[in-house]
Amino acid sequence: MALAVGLRGPMRSTTPGPELARRLNALCAQIGPYPHARLTDTGNANKQGTRLRKVVCGGCGYAIYTTRLWLNVGTPTCVCGSRMSEV
C-alpha cells in the first residue's frame, strides 16, 4: 500500500517519492497555511520509564504496582494477610 501511494525506501522509514512530493506540495499550496502557532521540536525524544514498582505477596503470589512514595511509607499487606515485598 505504501508503494501504491508513492512512498519509497525501506518500509520502516519511508520517504515520499518525487511524484508524491509534487502532489503533496501542490495540495499544500492549494489548501494554504494552517492557522496555528509554529511547532517547534523540543528535542526531548527520551521515552519516560515507568515510575511504578512491582510488589508481590510471598504467600499467594498476588502482584500490584505502586509508587516509590508508598514504598517509603512501607510495603502493603496482601488481602491474604501476608506482607508484600518489592521485586
Side-chain angles (χ1 to χ4, degrees), residues 4-59:
V5 298
L7 294 172
R8 300 290 177 252
M11 291 300 115
R12 65 185 174 277
S13 60
T14 59
T15 57
E19 176 62 22
L20 179 60
R22 185 190 64 72
R23 289 175 51 205
L24 292 175
N25 287 332
L27 182 62
C28 287
Q30 180 184 356
I31 293 173
Y34 186 74
H36 66 80
R38 183 166 180 83
L39 300 176
T40 57
D41 182 13
T42 62
N44 187 5
N46 296 337
K47 184 178 176 183
Q48 178 181 334
T50 181
R51 294 181 183 177
L52 299 177
R53 306 287 186 221
K54 187 175 183 179
V55 182
V56 178
C57 175

Side-chain angles (χ1 to χ4, degrees), residues 3 50 67 73 80:
L3 295 173
T50 181
T67 62
V73 172
C80 74

